[in-house]
Coordinates of all heavy atoms in Angstrom, one line a residue:
M1202 N -115.1 -146.4 1.8 CA -113.7 -146.6 1.4 C -113.4 -148.0 1.2 O -112.9 -148.5 0.2 CB -112.8 -146.1 2.5 CG -112.2 -144.6 2.1 SD -112.1 -144.2 0.4 CE -110.4 -143.9 0.1
K1203 N -113.8 -148.9 2.1 CA -113.6 -150.3 2.1 C -114.2 -151.0 0.9 O -113.6 -151.8 0.2 CB -114.1 -151.0 3.3 CG -112.9 -151.4 4.2 CD -113.3 -152.6 5.2 CE -112.1 -153.0 6.0 NZ -112.5 -153.3 7.4
K1204 N -115.5 -150.6 0.7 CA -116.3 -151.1 -0.4 C -115.6 -150.8 -1.7 O -115.5 -151.8 -2.7 CB -117.6 -150.5 -0.5 CG -118.7 -151.6 -0.2 CD -120.1 -151.0 -0.4 CE -121.1 -151.9 0.3 NZ -122.4 -151.2 0.6
I1205 N -115.1 -149.6 -1.9 CA -114.5 -149.3 -3.1 C -113.2 -150.1 -3.4 O -113.0 -150.6 -4.5 CB -114.1 -147.8 -3.1 CG1 -115.4 -147.0 -3.3 CG2 -113.2 -147.5 -4.3 CD1 -115.2 -145.5 -3.0
S1206 N -112.4 -150.4 -2.4 CA -111.3 -151.2 -2.6 C -111.6 -152.6 -3.0 O -110.9 -153.3 -3.8 CB -110.2 -151.1 -1.5 OG -110.8 -151.0 -0.2
V1207 N -112.7 -153.2 -2.5 CA -113.0 -154.5 -2.9 C -113.5 -154.5 -4.3 O -113.0 -155.3 -5.1 CB -114.2 -155.0 -2.0 CG1 -114.8 -156.2 -2.6 CG2 -113.9 -155.2 -0.6
V1208 N -114.2 -153.5 -4.7 CA -114.6 -153.4 -6.2 C -113.3 -153.3 -7.1 O -113.1 -154.0 -8.1 CB -115.6 -152.2 -6.4 CG1 -115.7 -151.9 -7.9 CG2 -116.9 -152.4 -5.8
V1209 N -112.4 -152.4 -6.6 CA -111.2 -152.3 -7.4 C -110.4 -153.7 -7.5 O -110.0 -154.0 -8.6 CB -110.3 -151.2 -6.8 CG1 -108.9 -151.2 -7.4 CG2 -110.9 -149.8 -7.0
A1210 N -110.3 -154.3 -6.4 CA -109.7 -155.6 -6.4 C -110.4 -156.6 -7.4 O -109.7 -157.3 -8.1 CB -109.7 -156.2 -5.0
L1211 N -111.7 -156.6 -7.3 CA -112.4 -157.5 -8.2 C -112.2 -157.2 -9.7 O -112.0 -158.1 -10.5 CB -114.0 -157.6 -7.9 CG -114.4 -158.3 -6.7 CD1 -115.9 -158.0 -6.4 CD2 -114.1 -159.8 -6.8
V1212 N -112.3 -156.0 -10.1 CA -112.0 -155.5 -11.4 C -110.6 -156.0 -11.9 O -110.5 -156.4 -12.9 CB -112.2 -154.0 -11.5 CG1 -111.7 -153.5 -12.9 CG2 -113.8 -153.7 -11.4
A1213 N -109.7 -155.7 -11.0 CA -108.3 -156.2 -11.3 C -108.2 -157.7 -11.5 O -107.6 -158.1 -12.5 CB -107.3 -155.7 -10.2
V1214 N -108.8 -158.5 -10.7 CA -108.9 -160.0 -10.9 C -109.5 -160.3 -12.2 O -108.9 -161.1 -13.1 CB -109.5 -160.6 -9.7 CG1 -109.8 -162.2 -10.1 CG2 -108.6 -160.5 -8.5
A1215 N -110.6 -159.6 -12.5 CA -111.4 -159.9 -13.7 C -110.5 -159.6 -14.9 O -110.4 -160.5 -15.8 CB -112.6 -159.2 -13.8
A1216 N -109.8 -158.4 -14.9 CA -109.0 -158.0 -16.0 C -107.9 -159.0 -16.2 O -107.5 -159.4 -17.3 CB -108.5 -156.6 -15.8
F1217 N -107.3 -159.5 -15.0 CA -106.2 -160.3 -15.1 C -106.6 -161.6 -15.7 O -105.9 -162.2 -16.7 CB -105.5 -160.6 -13.7 CG -104.5 -161.6 -13.8 CD1 -103.1 -161.2 -14.2 CD2 -104.7 -162.9 -13.4 CE1 -102.1 -162.2 -14.2 CE2 -103.6 -163.8 -13.4 CZ -102.4 -163.4 -13.9
S1218 N -107.7 -162.3 -15.3 CA -108.1 -163.5 -15.9 C -108.5 -163.4 -17.3 O -108.3 -164.3 -18.1 CB -109.2 -164.2 -15.1 OG -109.9 -163.4 -14.2
A1219 N -109.2 -162.2 -17.7 CA -109.6 -162.1 -19.1 C -108.3 -162.2 -20.0 O -108.3 -162.8 -21.0 CB -110.4 -160.8 -19.3
N1220 N -107.3 -161.5 -19.5 CA -106.1 -161.4 -20.1 C -105.3 -162.7 -20.4 O -104.8 -163.2 -21.4 CB -105.1 -160.5 -19.5 CG -104.0 -160.0 -20.3 OD1 -104.1 -159.8 -21.5 ND2 -102.8 -159.9 -19.7
A1221 N -105.4 -163.6 -19.2 CA -104.8 -164.9 -19.2 C -105.4 -165.8 -20.2 O -104.8 -166.7 -20.8 CB -104.9 -165.4 -17.8
F1222 N -106.7 -165.6 -20.5 CA -107.4 -166.5 -21.4 C -107.7 -165.8 -22.8 O -108.3 -166.4 -23.6 CB -108.7 -167.0 -20.9 CG -108.5 -167.9 -19.6 CD1 -108.9 -167.4 -18.4 CD2 -108.0 -169.1 -19.7 CE1 -108.6 -168.1 -17.3 CE2 -107.8 -169.9 -18.7 CZ -108.1 -169.4 -17.4
A1223 N -107.1 -164.7 -23.0 CA -107.2 -164.1 -24.3 C -106.6 -165.0 -25.5 O -105.8 -165.8 -25.3 CB -106.4 -162.8 -24.4
S1224 N -107.2 -164.8 -26.7 CA -106.9 -165.9 -27.7 C -105.5 -165.7 -28.3 O -104.9 -166.6 -28.6 CB -107.9 -165.8 -28.8 OG -107.8 -164.4 -29.4
A1225 N -105.0 -164.4 -28.4 CA -103.7 -164.2 -29.0 C -102.6 -165.0 -28.5 O -101.9 -165.7 -29.3 CB -103.5 -162.7 -29.0
P1226 N -102.3 -164.9 -27.2 CA -101.1 -165.7 -26.7 C -101.2 -167.3 -27.1 O -100.3 -167.9 -27.5 CB -101.1 -165.5 -25.2 CG -101.9 -164.2 -25.0 CD -103.0 -164.2 -26.1
K1227 N -102.5 -167.9 -26.9 CA -102.6 -169.2 -27.1 C -102.4 -169.4 -28.7 O -101.8 -170.5 -29.1 CB -103.9 -169.7 -26.7 CG -104.1 -171.2 -27.1 CD -104.7 -172.0 -25.9 CE -104.5 -173.6 -26.3 NZ -105.8 -174.4 -26.3
G1228 N -103.1 -168.6 -29.5 CA -102.9 -168.8 -30.9 C -101.5 -168.7 -31.3 O -101.0 -169.6 -32.2
E1229 N -100.7 -167.8 -30.8 CA -99.3 -167.7 -31.1 C -98.5 -168.9 -30.7 O -97.7 -169.4 -31.4 CB -98.7 -166.4 -30.4 CG -97.3 -166.2 -30.8 CD -96.8 -164.9 -30.0 OE1 -97.5 -164.2 -29.4 OE2 -95.5 -164.6 -30.3
A1230 N -98.8 -169.5 -29.5 CA -98.1 -170.7 -29.0 C -98.4 -171.8 -30.0 O -97.5 -172.5 -30.3 CB -98.5 -171.0 -27.6
L1231 N -99.7 -172.1 -30.3 CA -100.0 -173.1 -31.2 C -99.4 -172.9 -32.6 O -98.8 -173.9 -33.2 CB -101.6 -173.0 -31.5 CG -102.5 -173.6 -30.4 CD1 -103.9 -173.2 -30.5 CD2 -102.4 -175.0 -30.3
F1232 N -99.3 -171.7 -33.1 CA -98.6 -171.4 -34.3 C -97.3 -171.8 -34.3 O -96.7 -172.5 -35.2 CB -98.9 -170.0 -34.7 CG -98.4 -169.8 -36.1 CD1 -99.1 -170.0 -37.3 CD2 -97.0 -169.2 -36.3 CE1 -98.6 -169.8 -38.6 CE2 -96.5 -169.0 -37.6 CZ -97.3 -169.3 -38.8
K1233 N -96.5 -171.5 -33.2 CA -95.2 -171.8 -33.1 C -95.0 -173.2 -33.0 O -94.0 -173.8 -33.6 CB -94.6 -171.0 -31.9 CG -94.5 -169.6 -32.1 CD -93.5 -168.8 -31.2 CE -93.4 -167.5 -31.6 NZ -93.4 -166.5 -30.5
E1234 N -95.9 -173.9 -32.3 CA -95.7 -175.3 -32.2 C -95.9 -176.2 -33.4 O -95.3 -177.2 -33.8 CB -96.6 -175.8 -31.0 CG -96.4 -177.2 -30.6 CD -97.7 -177.6 -29.6 OE1 -98.1 -176.7 -28.9 OE2 -98.0 -178.8 -29.7
K1235 N -97.0 -175.7 -34.2 CA -97.6 -176.7 -35.2 C -97.3 -176.2 -36.6 O -97.3 -176.9 -37.6 CB -99.1 -176.8 -35.1 CG -99.6 -177.0 -33.7 CD -99.8 -178.5 -33.6 CE -100.5 -178.7 -32.1 NZ -100.3 -180.1 -31.7
C1236 N -97.1 -174.9 -36.9 CA -97.1 -174.3 -38.2 C -95.7 -173.6 -38.6 O -95.4 -173.6 -39.8 CB -98.3 -173.2 -38.3 SG -99.7 -173.7 -37.4
A1237 N -95.1 -173.1 -37.5 CA -93.9 -172.2 -37.7 C -92.8 -172.9 -38.5 O -92.0 -172.2 -39.2 CB -93.5 -171.5 -36.5
V1238 N -92.7 -174.2 -38.4 CA -91.6 -174.9 -39.1 C -91.7 -174.6 -40.6 O -90.7 -174.4 -41.2 CB -91.6 -176.5 -38.8 CG1 -90.7 -176.9 -37.9 CG2 -93.1 -177.0 -38.7
C1239 N -92.9 -174.6 -41.2 CA -93.0 -174.5 -42.6 C -93.5 -173.0 -43.0 O -93.3 -172.6 -44.0 CB -94.1 -175.3 -43.2 SG -93.6 -177.1 -43.1
H1240 N -94.1 -172.4 -41.9 CA -94.6 -171.0 -42.1 C -93.9 -170.0 -41.3 O -94.5 -169.2 -40.5 CB -96.1 -171.0 -42.0 CG -96.9 -171.7 -42.8 ND1 -97.1 -171.4 -44.2 CD2 -97.6 -172.9 -42.6 CE1 -97.8 -172.4 -44.8 NE2 -98.1 -173.2 -43.9
P1241 N -92.5 -169.9 -41.2 CA -91.9 -168.9 -40.3 C -92.3 -167.5 -40.7 O -92.3 -167.2 -41.9 CB -90.4 -169.2 -40.5 CG -90.3 -169.8 -41.8 CD -91.6 -170.6 -42.0
D1242 N -92.7 -166.7 -39.8 CA -93.1 -165.3 -40.0 C -94.2 -165.2 -41.1 O -94.3 -164.2 -41.8 CB -91.9 -164.4 -40.5 CG -91.0 -164.3 -39.4 OD1 -91.3 -164.0 -38.2 OD2 -89.7 -164.2 -39.6
G1243 N -95.0 -166.3 -41.1 CA -96.2 -166.2 -42.1 C -95.7 -166.5 -43.6 O -96.6 -166.5 -44.4
G1244 N -94.5 -166.8 -43.6 CA -94.0 -167.2 -45.0 C -94.4 -168.7 -45.3 O -95.2 -169.4 -44.6
N1245 N -93.7 -169.3 -46.4 CA -93.9 -170.7 -46.6 C -92.6 -171.3 -47.3 O -92.3 -170.9 -48.4 CB -95.0 -170.9 -47.7 CG -95.5 -172.3 -47.9 OD1 -94.6 -173.1 -47.7 ND2 -96.7 -172.5 -48.1
I1246 N -91.9 -172.0 -46.5 CA -90.5 -172.5 -47.0 C -90.7 -173.6 -48.1 O -89.8 -173.7 -48.8 CB -89.7 -173.1 -45.8 CG1 -90.5 -174.3 -45.2 CG2 -89.3 -172.1 -44.7 CD1 -89.6 -175.2 -44.4
M1247 N -91.9 -174.2 -48.2 CA -92.0 -175.2 -49.2 C -92.5 -174.6 -50.5 O -92.2 -175.2 -51.6 CB -92.8 -176.3 -48.7 CG -92.3 -177.0 -47.4 SD -93.5 -178.3 -46.9 CE -93.2 -179.6 -48.0
N1248 N -93.4 -173.7 -50.3 CA -94.0 -173.0 -51.6 C -94.2 -171.6 -51.4 O -95.1 -171.2 -50.8 CB -95.3 -173.7 -51.9 CG -95.9 -173.2 -53.1 OD1 -95.5 -172.1 -53.7 ND2 -97.0 -173.8 -53.7
P1249 N -93.1 -170.8 -51.7 CA -93.1 -169.4 -51.3 C -94.3 -168.5 -51.9 O -94.5 -167.4 -51.5 CB -91.7 -168.9 -52.0 CG -91.0 -170.1 -52.3 CD -92.0 -171.3 -52.5
K1250 N -95.0 -169.2 -52.8 CA -96.2 -168.3 -53.3 C -97.4 -168.5 -52.5 O -98.3 -167.7 -52.4 CB -96.6 -169.0 -54.7 CG -95.6 -168.4 -55.7 CD -96.2 -169.0 -57.1 CE -95.1 -168.7 -58.3 NZ -95.3 -169.7 -59.3
E1251 N -97.4 -169.6 -51.6 CA -98.5 -169.8 -50.8 C -98.3 -169.4 -49.4 O -98.3 -170.2 -48.4 CB -99.0 -171.3 -50.7 CG -99.2 -171.8 -52.1 CD -100.6 -171.4 -52.6 OE1 -101.5 -171.2 -51.8 OE2 -100.8 -171.2 -53.9
T1252 N -98.0 -168.0 -49.0 CA -97.8 -167.6 -47.7 C -99.0 -167.4 -47.0 O -100.2 -167.6 -47.6 CB -97.0 -166.3 -47.7 OG1 -97.9 -165.3 -48.3 CG2 -95.8 -166.3 -48.7
L1253 N -99.0 -167.0 -45.7 CA -100.1 -166.8 -44.9 C -100.5 -165.3 -44.7 O -101.2 -164.9 -44.0 CB -99.9 -167.3 -43.5 CG -99.5 -168.8 -43.4 CD1 -99.4 -169.2 -42.0 CD2 -100.4 -169.7 -44.2
K1254 N -99.7 -164.5 -45.6 CA -99.9 -163.1 -45.6 C -101.2 -162.6 -46.2 O -101.5 -163.0 -47.3 CB -98.7 -162.4 -46.1 CG -97.5 -162.7 -45.2 CD -96.2 -162.1 -45.7 CE -95.2 -162.8 -44.7 NZ -93.8 -162.6 -45.1
G1255 N -101.9 -161.7 -45.5 CA -103.1 -161.0 -46.1 C -104.3 -161.9 -46.2 O -105.3 -161.6 -46.7
L1256 N -104.2 -163.0 -45.5 CA -105.4 -163.9 -45.5 C -106.5 -163.2 -44.5 O -106.2 -162.7 -43.5 CB -105.2 -165.2 -44.9 CG -104.2 -166.1 -45.8 CD1 -103.9 -167.5 -45.1 CD2 -104.8 -166.3 -47.2
K1257 N -107.8 -163.4 -44.9 CA -108.8 -162.7 -44.2 C -109.9 -163.8 -43.7 O -110.8 -163.3 -43.0 CB -109.4 -161.6 -44.9 CG -108.5 -160.5 -45.2 CD -109.2 -159.3 -45.9 CE -108.2 -158.2 -46.0 NZ -107.4 -158.4 -47.0
D1258 N -109.9 -164.9 -44.2 CA -111.1 -165.8 -44.1 C -110.9 -166.9 -43.2 O -110.0 -167.8 -43.4 CB -111.4 -166.3 -45.5 CG -112.7 -167.2 -45.5 OD1 -113.2 -167.4 -44.4 OD2 -113.1 -167.5 -46.7
V1259 N -111.4 -166.9 -42.0 CA -111.2 -167.9 -41.0 C -111.5 -169.3 -41.5 O -110.7 -170.2 -41.3 CB -112.1 -167.6 -39.8 CG1 -112.2 -168.8 -38.7 CG2 -111.7 -166.3 -39.0
K1260 N -112.6 -169.4 -42.2 CA -113.0 -170.8 -42.7 C -112.0 -171.3 -43.7 O -111.7 -172.5 -43.8 CB -114.4 -170.6 -43.4 CG -115.5 -170.7 -42.3 CD -116.8 -171.2 -43.0 CE -117.9 -171.3 -41.9 NZ -119.0 -170.3 -42.2
F1261 N -111.5 -170.4 -44.5 CA -110.4 -170.8 -45.5 C -109.3 -171.5 -44.7 O -108.7 -172.5 -45.1 CB -109.9 -169.7 -46.3 CG -108.8 -170.0 -47.1 CD1 -108.9 -170.9 -48.4 CD2 -107.5 -169.6 -46.8 CE1 -107.8 -171.2 -49.1 CE2 -106.4 -170.1 -47.6 CZ -106.6 -170.8 -48.7
I1262 N -108.8 -170.8 -43.6 CA -107.6 -171.2 -42.9 C -108.0 -172.5 -42.1 O -107.2 -173.5 -42.1 CB -107.2 -170.1 -41.9 CG1 -106.7 -168.9 -42.7 CG2 -105.9 -170.6 -41.0 CD1 -106.4 -167.7 -41.9
T1263 N -109.1 -172.6 -41.4 CA -109.4 -173.8 -40.7 C -109.7 -175.0 -41.6 O -109.3 -176.1 -41.3 CB -110.7 -173.6 -39.7 OG1 -111.8 -173.1 -40.6 CG2 -110.5 -172.6 -38.7
G1264 N -110.1 -174.7 -42.8 CA -110.3 -175.8 -43.8 C -108.9 -176.3 -44.3 O -108.8 -177.4 -44.4
K1265 N -108.0 -175.4 -44.4 CA -106.7 -175.7 -44.9 C -105.9 -176.6 -43.7 O -105.4 -177.6 -44.1 CB -105.8 -174.5 -45.2 CG -104.6 -174.9 -45.9 CD -104.6 -175.4 -47.4 CE -103.3 -175.9 -47.9 NZ -103.6 -176.6 -49.1
I1266 N -106.2 -176.2 -42.6 CA -105.7 -177.1 -41.5 C -106.1 -178.5 -41.4 O -105.3 -179.3 -41.3 CB -106.0 -176.3 -40.1 CG1 -105.3 -175.0 -39.9 CG2 -105.6 -177.3 -38.9 CD1 -105.7 -174.2 -38.8
R1267 N -107.4 -178.6 -41.7 CA -107.9 -180.0 -41.8 C -107.6 -180.8 -43.0 O -107.5 -182.0 -43.0 CB -109.5 -179.9 -41.6 CG -110.0 -179.6 -40.3 CD -110.0 -180.9 -39.4 NE -110.5 -180.5 -38.0 CZ -109.7 -179.9 -37.1 NH1 -108.4 -179.9 -37.3 NH2 -110.3 -179.7 -35.9
S1268 N -107.6 -180.0 -44.2 CA -107.3 -180.8 -45.4 C -105.9 -180.9 -45.8 O -105.5 -181.9 -46.5 CB -108.1 -180.1 -46.6 OG -107.6 -178.8 -46.8
G1269 N -105.1 -180.0 -45.5 CA -103.6 -180.0 -45.8 C -103.4 -180.2 -47.4 O -104.2 -179.6 -48.1
G1270 N -102.4 -180.9 -47.7 CA -102.3 -181.2 -49.2 C -101.2 -180.4 -49.8 O -100.8 -179.3 -49.3
N1271 N -100.8 -180.7 -50.9 CA -99.6 -180.2 -51.7 C -98.4 -179.8 -50.9 O -97.8 -178.7 -51.0 CB -100.1 -178.8 -52.4 CG -101.2 -179.1 -53.4 OD1 -101.0 -180.0 -54.2 ND2 -102.1 -178.2 -53.6
G1272 N -98.2 -180.7 -50.1 CA -97.0 -180.6 -49.1 C -97.3 -180.2 -47.8 O -96.5 -180.3 -46.8
M1273 N -98.5 -179.7 -47.6 CA -98.8 -179.3 -46.2 C -99.4 -180.5 -45.4 O -100.2 -181.2 -45.9 CB -99.9 -178.1 -46.2 CG -100.5 -177.8 -44.7 SD -101.0 -176.2 -44.6 CE -102.1 -176.4 -43.1
T1274 N -98.9 -180.6 -44.1 CA -99.5 -181.7 -43.2 C -100.9 -181.4 -43.0 O -101.5 -180.3 -43.0 CB -98.9 -181.3 -41.8 OG1 -97.4 -180.9 -42.0 CG2 -98.9 -182.5 -40.9
K1275 N -101.7 -182.5 -42.9 CA -103.1 -182.5 -42.6 C -103.2 -182.7 -41.1 O -102.6 -183.6 -40.5 CB -103.7 -183.7 -43.4 CG -105.1 -183.8 -43.2 CD -105.6 -185.0 -44.0 CE -107.1 -185.4 -43.6 NZ -107.6 -186.5 -44.5
F1276 N -104.0 -181.9 -40.4 CA -104.1 -181.9 -39.0 C -105.6 -182.4 -38.7 O -106.5 -181.7 -38.9 CB -103.9 -180.6 -38.3 CG -102.5 -180.0 -38.6 CD1 -102.2 -179.2 -39.7 CD2 -101.4 -180.2 -37.6 CE1 -100.9 -178.7 -39.9 CE2 -100.2 -179.7 -37.8 CZ -99.8 -179.0 -38.9
D1277 N -105.8 -183.5 -38.0 CA -107.1 -183.9 -37.6 C -107.4 -183.3 -36.3 O -106.6 -182.6 -35.6 CB -107.2 -185.5 -37.6 CG -106.2 -186.1 -36.6 OD1 -105.8 -185.4 -35.5 OD2 -106.0 -187.3 -36.7
A1278 N -108.7 -183.6 -35.8 CA -109.2 -182.9 -34.7 C -108.5 -183.3 -33.3 O -108.7 -182.7 -32.4 CB -110.6 -183.1 -34.6
K1279 N -107.7 -184.5 -33.4 CA -107.0 -184.8 -32.2 C -105.7 -184.0 -32.0 O -105.3 -183.8 -31.0 CB -106.7 -186.3 -32.3 CG -107.7 -187.2 -31.9 CD -107.1 -188.7 -31.9 CE -108.4 -189.7 -32.1 NZ -107.9 -190.8 -32.8
T1280 N -105.3 -183.6 -33.2 CA -104.0 -182.9 -33.2 C -104.2 -181.4 -33.0 O -103.5 -180.7 -32.2 CB -103.2 -183.0 -34.6 OG1 -103.3 -184.4 -35.0 CG2 -101.7 -182.7 -34.4
V1281 N -105.1 -180.8 -33.7 CA -105.6 -179.5 -33.5 C -107.1 -179.4 -33.5 O -107.8 -179.8 -34.5 CB -105.1 -178.6 -34.8 CG1 -105.6 -177.2 -34.8 CG2 -103.6 -178.7 -34.9
S1282 N -107.6 -179.1 -32.3 CA -109.1 -179.2 -32.1 C -109.8 -178.1 -32.9 O -109.0 -177.2 -33.4 CB -109.4 -178.9 -30.6 OG -109.0 -177.6 -30.2
D1283 N -111.0 -178.1 -33.0 CA -111.7 -177.0 -33.8 C -111.5 -175.7 -33.1 O -111.4 -174.7 -33.8 CB -113.3 -177.3 -33.8 CG -113.7 -178.5 -34.7 OD1 -112.7 -178.9 -35.6 OD2 -114.8 -178.9 -34.7
A1284 N -111.6 -175.7 -31.8 CA -111.3 -174.4 -31.1 C -109.9 -173.9 -31.4 O -109.8 -172.7 -31.6 CB -111.5 -174.6 -29.5
D1285 N -109.0 -174.8 -31.3 CA -107.5 -174.3 -31.5 C -107.4 -173.8 -33.0 O -106.6 -172.9 -33.3 CB -106.6 -175.5 -31.2 CG -106.4 -175.6 -29.8 OD1 -106.9 -174.9 -29.0 OD2 -105.7 -176.7 -29.3
S1286 N -108.2 -174.5 -34.0 CA -107.9 -174.1 -35.3 C -108.4 -172.8 -35.5 O -107.9 -171.9 -36.3 CB -108.4 -175.2 -36.3 OG -109.8 -175.1 -36.4
K1287 N -109.5 -172.4 -34.8 CA -110.1 -171.1 -34.8 C -109.0 -170.1 -34.2 O -108.9 -168.9 -34.8 CB -111.4 -170.9 -34.1 CG -112.4 -170.5 -35.1 CD -113.7 -169.9 -34.3 CE -114.0 -168.5 -34.7 NZ -113.4 -167.4 -33.7
L1288 N -108.4 -170.4 -33.1 CA -107.4 -169.5 -32.6 C -106.3 -169.3 -33.5 O -105.7 -168.2 -33.6 CB -106.9 -170.2 -31.2 CG -107.8 -170.2 -30.1 CD1 -107.1 -170.9 -28.8 CD2 -108.4 -168.8 -29.7
L1289 N -105.9 -170.3 -34.2 CA -104.8 -170.2 -35.3 C -105.2 -169.3 -36.3 O -104.5 -168.4 -36.7 CB -104.5 -171.6 -35.7 CG -103.6 -172.5 -34.9 CD1 -103.7 -173.9 -35.3 CD2 -102.1 -171.9 -34.9
A1290 N -106.4 -169.4 -36.8 CA -106.9 -168.6 -37.9 C -106.9 -167.2 -37.4 O -106.5 -166.3 -38.1 CB -108.3 -169.0 -38.3
D1291 N -107.4 -166.9 -36.2 CA -107.4 -165.5 -35.7 C -106.1 -164.9 -35.5 O -105.8 -163.8 -36.0 CB -108.2 -165.4 -34.4 CG -109.6 -165.7 -34.4 OD1 -110.2 -165.5 -35.5 OD2 -110.3 -166.0 -33.3
Y1292 N -105.1 -165.8 -35.0 CA -103.8 -165.3 -34.9 C -103.2 -164.9 -36.3 O -102.5 -164.0 -36.4 CB -103.0 -166.4 -34.2 CG -101.5 -166.1 -34.2 CD1 -101.0 -165.2 -33.3 CD2 -100.6 -166.7 -35.1 CE1 -99.6 -164.7 -33.4 CE2 -99.2 -166.4 -35.0 CZ -98.8 -165.5 -34.2 OH -97.4 -165.1 -34.1
I1293 N -103.4 -165.8 -37.3 CA -102.8 -165.6 -38.7 C -103.3 -164.3 -39.3 O -102.6 -163.5 -39.8 CB -103.1 -166.8 -39.5 CG1 -102.1 -168.0 -39.0 CG2 -102.8 -166.5 -41.0 CD1 -102.5 -169.4 -39.7
I1294 N -104.6 -164.1 -39.2 CA -105.3 -163.0 -39.8 C -104.8 -161.7 -39.1 O -104.6 -160.7 -39.8 CB -106.8 -163.1 -39.7 CG1 -107.3 -164.2 -40.7 CG2 -107.5 -161.8 -39.9 CD1 -108.7 -164.7 -40.4
K1295 N -104.6 -161.7 -37.8 CA -104.2 -160.5 -37.0 C -102.7 -160.3 -37.2 O -102.3 -159.1 -37.2 CB -104.4 -160.7 -35.5 CG -105.8 -160.3 -35.1 CD -105.9 -160.3 -33.6 CE -107.3 -160.7 -33.2 NZ -107.3 -161.5 -32.0
T1296 N -101.9 -161.4 -37.4 CA -100.5 -161.2 -37.3 C -99.8 -160.9 -38.7 O -99.0 -160.0 -38.8 CB -99.9 -162.5 -36.7 OG1 -100.5 -162.6 -35.5 CG2 -98.4 -162.1 -36.3
F1297 N -100.2 -161.6 -39.7 CA -99.5 -161.5 -41.0 C -100.3 -160.7 -41.9 O -100.9 -161.2 -43.0 CB -99.2 -163.0 -41.4 CG -98.5 -163.9 -40.5 CD1 -99.2 -165.0 -40.0 CD2 -97.3 -163.5 -39.9 CE1 -98.6 -165.8 -39.1 CE2 -96.6 -164.2 -39.0 CZ -97.2 -165.5 -38.6
K1298 N -100.5 -159.5 -41.7 CA -101.4 -158.8 -42.6 C -100.7 -158.4 -43.9 O -101.4 -158.3 -45.0 CB -101.7 -157.3 -41.9 CG -102.7 -157.7 -40.8 CD -103.3 -156.4 -40.1 CE -104.3 -156.7 -39.2 NZ -104.4 -155.8 -38.0
K1299 N -99.4 -158.3 -43.9 CA -98.7 -158.0 -45.2 C -97.4 -158.9 -45.3 O -96.9 -159.2 -44.4 CB -98.3 -156.5 -45.2 CG -99.4 -155.7 -45.7 CD -98.9 -154.2 -45.9 CE -100.1 -153.3 -46.1 NZ -99.8 -152.0 -45.6
Ligands
LIG976 C1 -94.9 -179.6 -43.5 C2 -95.0 -178.1 -43.7 C3 -96.3 -177.4 -43.4 C4 -96.8 -177.3 -42.0 C5 -96.4 -178.0 -40.8 C6 -97.9 -176.4 -42.2 N1 -98.1 -176.0 -43.4 FE1 -99.5 -174.7 -44.2 N2 -98.9 -175.0 -46.0 C7 -97.7 -175.8 -46.4 C8 -97.6 -175.8 -47.8 C9 -96.6 -176.5 -48.6 C10 -98.7 -175.0 -48.4 C11 -99.1 -174.8 -49.8 C12 -100.3 -175.9 -50.1 C13 -100.9 -175.7 -51.4 O1 -100.4 -175.2 -52.3 O2 -102.1 -176.0 -51.4 C14 -99.4 -174.5 -47.2 C15 -100.5 -173.6 -47.3 C16 -101.2 -173.1 -46.2 C17 -102.3 -172.3 -46.2 C18 -102.8 -171.7 -47.5 C19 -102.1 -170.4 -47.9 C20 -102.6 -169.6 -49.1 O3 -102.4 -168.5 -49.3 O4 -103.3 -170.3 -49.9 C21 -102.8 -172.0 -45.0 C22 -103.8 -171.1 -44.6 C23 -101.9 -172.8 -44.1 N3 -100.9 -173.4 -44.8 C24 -101.9 -172.7 -42.7 C25 -101.2 -173.5 -42.0 C26 -101.4 -173.7 -40.4 C27 -102.4 -172.9 -39.7 C28 -100.5 -174.6 -40.1 C29 -100.4 -175.2 -38.6 C30 -101.5 -175.7 -38.0 C31 -99.7 -175.1 -41.1 N4 -100.2 -174.5 -42.2 C32 -98.7 -176.0 -41.1 C33 -96.9 -176.4 -45.6 C34 -97.2 -176.6 -44.2

């Protein structure tokens, strides 16, 4: 009996930490902090044709983060790390499907 509760406790801890480090919440926080001013709800207040909806390509998004242009801020690796830009891309692809 004792052994089983130890295993259950470990599984619970593992599930909790996996959840705490899952990419979605961090991607969402980053998006709100760095992108939502111009892209609220995946839209685009500066150029309504260039929304974030229906994007599927991680590399396209991470490239745009680094290059900016046509009114978009350029984010260097100090402002948005490579890992963070991937989290942002994953968040955008998952969140703004239509
Ligand atoms: C100052 C306003 C501004 C901010 C801040 C901003 N963007 Fe943009 N974004 C734009 C504009 C304007 C465009 C259209 C640029 C163009 O036509 O090339 C754009 C275009 C894009 C595109 C291409 C969309 C498409 O359909 O071609 C992506 C992807 C994108 N932004 C992602 C981001 C991410 C991720 C962030 C946060 C890290 C961000 N943007 C922050 C203004 C902004």
